[in-house]
Amino acid sequence: MRVTINDIAKKAQVSPSTVSRVIADSPLISAATKEKVLKIIKEMNYHPNIIARSLVNRSSRIIGVVMPGMAEQSFQHPFFPELLAGIASMANKEGYKILLANVATLDEEREMVKELTFGSITAGLILLTSRDQNPTVDQLVEVGFPFVVIGRTENPYVNWVDNDNFLIGYQLVEHFLDQGHRRVAFLGYSPGVTVTRDRLHGYKKALVDHGIPFCEELVVESEFISANGYDLMKRLLALRERPTAVIACDDLLAFGAIKAIHEAGLKVPVDIAVAGINNVPLAEFYNPPLTSVKINAFTLGKKAFEMLQTVLTSDVRSYNRAIIPAELVVRSSSLATKE
Amino acid sequence: MRVTINDIAKKAQVSPSTVSRVIADSPLISAATKEKVLKIIKEMNYHPNIIARSLVNRSSRIIGVVMPGMAEQSFQHPFFPELLAGIASMANKEGYKILLANVATLDEEREMVKELTFGSITAGLILLTSRDQNPTVDQLVEVGFPFVVIGRTENPYVNWVDNDNFLIGYQLVEHFLDQGHRRVAFLGYSPGVTVTRDRLHGYKKALVDHGIPFCEELVVESEFISANGYDLMKRLLALRERPTAVIACDDLLAFGAIKAIHEAGLKVPVDIAVAGINNVPLAEFYNPPLTSVKINAFTLGKKAFEMLQTVLTSDVRSYNRAIIPAELVVRSSSLATKE
DNA sequence: TTGTAAGCGTTATCAC
DNA sequence: GTGATAACGCTTACAA
């Protein structure tokens, strides 16, 4: 049988409330009783029942992290673990525990979030989503539950952290233009996914700013991460006029694309230059080493938790957004070998 | 204000217990009331308070996953996320949620586990540990809390899953002997860590079985994963008689070792052959491609959860151990270029 | 088939 | 300073 606050109270010959006060380190308690109770707590190896405590407090020290995609996939990509590490590092420090929730579909996400919020398991939520319209987000806003989104959402009443995806797209184009390219393709645009759309906007703007006409056929749509860069690239290779450079929305996409390029008997970067985004560990060692953008997922996660804590502790409602800087890492996959 | 079971009861003009029974899908309930209540539940968007439910049931549908090392580090290595993915994939399917707990020290581990068990937040625990003596494990055994260890422990009253690390060590040696090597080093033995020790035992046995004398100086000790393969390798390079092959206890160690070898003006595998363990994604693309052992972390995690569930649901106490097979993946870092 | 009431282990609000 | 007592939201004997 588990030892409860009542057992301690009995043994110490005080009331449960006194024990409770000792635990809470209330100033109203005499040094003598405090000491006595503390000793017995130790002796009996008592630990407060967090569930009971949460029930009466109507709040736990648990925050939920809701990730899209089945567990099998989510963790495949180094981005997620890194993000999680960032969240966990802060959460640990602040005495919060992390509840992991993987959801495969939007419906599942909605149900999960309902369970987590109304079920009052979690004190707050960190939501990983980058769809511009997300019913879960709207619902959360409506009920006023504390949460933070990683990835931009269009609902204005939302705290979020994200990279500057517009800038990322913009800079990648500029990088290629610097290398003398004029036909730059964009691989992996997924309508409705803000991350890719923001990058695409950056891409377009950069073209315009440099007087290059935008060419519809150079934008290849896809599902986000799960997509197959190999197949997408083939579409580009089939064009009458091929691109000379490709921006892939993710490194994994880029790897697939490079494979397709090689199979077509072409060389990277001589025939077609390639750059990815996310800077996965493999990028550096790939053949050729892949130009990419360091996204700082760890910082993204850290910041998300910090924001959530602000929401949790302050009573004024404010809506913040944090932009975590990204960093272009140039490697040989995108470098013109000579002028 | 949150909607509770009482609100539903009032609205439906039944008692709370009836509502509770409807939720539990009790057979004692008439179709009519059931339907009526269900409708109102939907209307009012009611979700049971899991905390309250856990309190009365004295058990939640949450399992804790306790990982050693700070969050920053744990997720660095692909092994952990993969493991986690395995656990999560099963847990999701069975309606369990996962509570993530990172612990930096053994003390922290003990405190965390106490909190998680006595605090009755979690129904069961999955512990990642491979120390042969672990007070946390002993404590868990003592109080009879349901848990499973990933990694072998010596306490016999424990359910655990692990790879056959003895065999892994054994096979790697045989592989090198096949290639004509006779001086095979073992990099990254960490005393007290069963994973490395079992591998070392396999290594020794293989040598003995093939009539090769065991040579103390060829075993380089270290802290486990966090160790620096570069520095460790230097010790081997400083020997009067260098090894011609190196088994590194982890791929990251192997990468460091290769770097040191290259810096010494030697070539892999011509001068010194190298093999790692864990088969991280980078291994395939490293220069040279690294021979490694596929550990199947996903399956490891999956199996761990299955075991835990068995413990959770059955009332007889049994102690099982599962061995997940590993698989040697030969690449050029360990291949003799010619006979 | 349904309702009543007790209790899960805490904390908070009163009294004293 | 400390102790009753009443919640928190749910489940489950036991009654009806």
Side-chain angles (χ1 to χ4, degrees), chain B residues 11-266:
Chain B
K11 187 97 169 209
Q13 310 201 58
V14 295
S15 76
S17 22
T18 300
V19 178
S20 176
R21 288 189 188 104
V22 169
I23 295 166
D25 205 19
S26 158
L28 312 153
I29 290 289
S30 81
T33 38
K34 183 169 168 179
E35 196 186 347
K36 180 176 61 178
V37 170
L38 243 25
K39 190 166 145 255
I40 293 180
I41 284 181
K42 200 147 236 167
E43 268 174 29
M44 302 188 67
N45 195 22
Y46 167 71
H47 287 259
N49 183 319
I50 314 245
I51 295 285
R53 184 182 277 174
S54 302
L55 183 58
V56 48
N57 287 337
R58 271 108 144 236
S59 153
S60 69
R61 295 284 274 191
I62 300 178
I63 64 150
V65 176
V66 183
M67 303 188 137
M70 283 167 301
E72 285 90 326
Q73 297 170 9
S74 309
F75 293 100
Q76 212 75 294
H77 199 291
F79 175 75
F80 292 99
E82 214 185 310
L83 205 60
L84 206 52
I87 298 173
S89 76
M90 281 312 277
N92 282 172
K93 208 175 295 171
E94 302 292 329
Y96 279 87
K97 291 176 182 35
I98 290 182
L99 194 84
L100 220 54
N102 287 93
V103 290
T105 65
L106 269 179
D107 275 0
E108 225 177 287
E109 179 179 273
R110 209 193 34 225
E111 275 317 304
M112 176 63 87
V113 166
K114 271 188 186 164
E115 221 183 302
L116 256 31
T117 53
F118 297 120
S120 63
I121 305 181
T122 51
L125 246 40
I126 293 181
L127 226 67
L128 251 130
T129 173
S130 47
R131 319 212 132 263
D132 43 8
Q133 306 293 343
N134 186 326
T136 311
V137 169
D138 302 340
Q139 169 191 321
L140 242 18
V141 168
E142 202 175 318
V143 302
F145 194 84
F147 77 106
V148 167
V149 170
I150 298 184
R152 197 171 65 77
T153 334
E154 301 205 325
N155 190 314
Y157 306 107
V158 169
N159 286 280
W160 56 257
V161 271
D162 203 357
N163 291 109
D164 193 341
N165 286 302
F166 180 89
L167 189 64
I168 290 174
Y170 197 97
Q171 287 181 335
L172 280 171
V173 171
E174 280 200 321
H175 169 67
F176 278 132
L177 298 183
D178 280 353
Q179 307 289 314
H181 293 280
R182 312 226 86 214
R183 266 185 90 67
V184 181
F186 188 95
L187 203 76
Y189 165 56
S190 186
V193 176
T194 51
V195 192
T196 65
R197 210 185 36 212
D198 291 352
R199 289 170 187 173
L200 182 62
H201 283 160
Y203 161 92
K204 285 182 180 170
K205 186 63 167 41
L207 289 179
V208 169
D209 286 359
H210 291 80
I212 314 269
F214 168 69
C215 182
E216 193 73 47
E217 64 178 7
L218 289 180
V219 176
V220 185
E221 290 193 12
S222 78
E223 299 290 313
F224 194 33
I225 278 169
S226 52
N228 185 332
Y230 179 82
D231 293 335
L232 298 180
M233 187 66 215
K234 281 196 165 169
R235 290 197 230 159
L236 285 173
L237 292 170
L239 293 176
R240 279 152 300 118
E241 200 183 345
R242 280 199 308 254
T244 66
V246 176
I247 295 171
C249 248
D250 182 74
D251 289 348
L252 303 195
L253 244 43
F255 294 145
I258 291 177
K259 192 176 161 218
I261 295 171
H262 284 161
E263 272 192 25
L266 302 169

Side-chain angles (χ1 to χ4, degrees), chain A residues 293-315:
Chain A
V293 180
K294 201 172 150 194
I295 234 62
N296 295 314
F298 188 88
T299 312
L300 223 46
K302 227 170 111 177
K303 189 69 199 171
F305 182 84
E306 280 174 16
M307 262 192 172
L308 184 57
Q309 213 188 9
T310 308
V311 177
L312 250 28
T313 50
S314 88
D315 28 51

Side-chain angles (χ1 to χ4, degrees), chain A residues 4-296:
Chain A
T4 76
I5 203 170
N6 292 299
D7 301 331
I8 303 294
K10 238 169 254 161
K11 187 96 168 211
Q13 311 200 60
V14 294
S15 75
S17 356
T18 301
V19 178
S20 177
R21 287 188 189 104
V22 170
I23 297 165
D25 205 20
S26 156
L28 312 152
I29 289 289
S30 82
T33 38
K34 184 170 169 179
E35 196 186 348
K36 180 176 62 179
V37 170
L38 243 25
K39 192 166 143 252
I40 293 180
I41 284 181
K42 199 144 237 169
E43 268 174 29
M44 301 187 68
N45 195 22
Y46 165 71
H47 285 258
N49 183 319
I50 314 246
I51 295 286
R53 184 182 277 174
S54 302
L55 182 59
V56 49
N57 287 337
R58 271 108 145 233
S59 152
S60 68
R61 293 285 275 191
I62 300 178
I63 65 151
V65 176
V66 182
M67 304 189 138
M70 282 169 301
E72 286 89 327
Q73 297 170 8
S74 309
F75 293 100
Q76 213 77 294
H77 200 290
F79 175 75
F80 293 99
E82 215 185 309
L83 204 60
L84 205 53
I87 298 173
S89 77
M90 280 313 276
N92 282 172
K93 209 174 295 172
E94 302 292 328
Y96 279 86
K97 292 178 182 32
I98 290 181
L99 194 81
L100 220 54
N102 287 92
V103 290
T105 65
L106 268 180
D107 275 0
E108 225 177 286
E109 179 178 274
R110 209 193 34 226
E111 276 316 305
M112 176 64 88
V113 166
K114 270 189 186 164
E115 220 182 302
L116 255 32
T117 53
F118 296 123
S120 62
I121 305 180
T122 50
L125 246 40
I126 293 181
L127 227 67
L128 251 130
T129 173
S130 46
R131 320 210 133 264
D132 44 6
Q133 305 293 343
N134 187 326
T136 311
V137 169
D138 301 340
Q139 170 191 321
L140 242 19
V141 168
E142 202 175 318
V143 301
F145 194 83
F147 78 107
V148 167
V149 170
I150 298 183
R152 197 170 65 78
T153 334
E154 301 207 324
N155 189 314
Y157 305 108
V158 168
N159 286 280
W160 56 256
V161 270
D162 202 358
N163 291 110
D164 192 340
N165 286 302
F166 180 89
L167 189 63
I168 291 174
Y170 197 97
Q171 287 181 335
L172 280 171
V173 170
E174 282 202 320
H175 169 66
F176 278 132
L177 297 184
D178 280 353
Q179 307 290 313
H181 294 279
R182 313 228 86 216
R183 266 186 88 69
V184 181
F186 188 95
L187 202 75
Y189 165 57
S190 185
V193 176
T194 50
V195 192
T196 64
R197 209 187 34 211
D198 291 351
R199 288 170 187 173
L200 182 62
H201 283 161
Y203 161 92
K204 285 182 180 170
K205 186 63 167 39
L207 290 179
V208 169
D209 286 359
H210 292 81
I212 315 270
F214 168 69
C215 182
E216 192 75 44
E217 63 178 7
L218 290 181
V219 175
V220 185
E221 290 194 12
S222 78
E223 299 290 312
F224 194 30
I225 277 171
S226 53
N228 185 334
Y230 179 81
D231 293 334
L232 298 180
M233 188 65 216
K234 282 197 166 168
R235 289 197 230 157
L236 284 174
L237 291 169
L239 292 177
R240 278 152 301 119
E241 199 185 345
R242 281 198 307 254
T244 65
V246 176
I247 295 171
C249 248
D250 182 75
D251 289 347
L252 304 193
L253 244 44
F255 294 146
I258 290 177
K259 192 175 160 217
I261 295 171
H262 284 161
E263 271 190 27
L266 300 169
K267 295 218 146 206
V268 178
V270 192
D271 299 309
I272 301 184
V274 177
I277 299 175
N278 277 344
N279 196 34
V280 303
L282 235 161
E284 184 181 349
F285 296 93
Y286 206 77
N287 183 14
L290 182 69
T291 291
S292 190
V293 180
K294 201 172 150 194
I295 234 62
N296 295 314

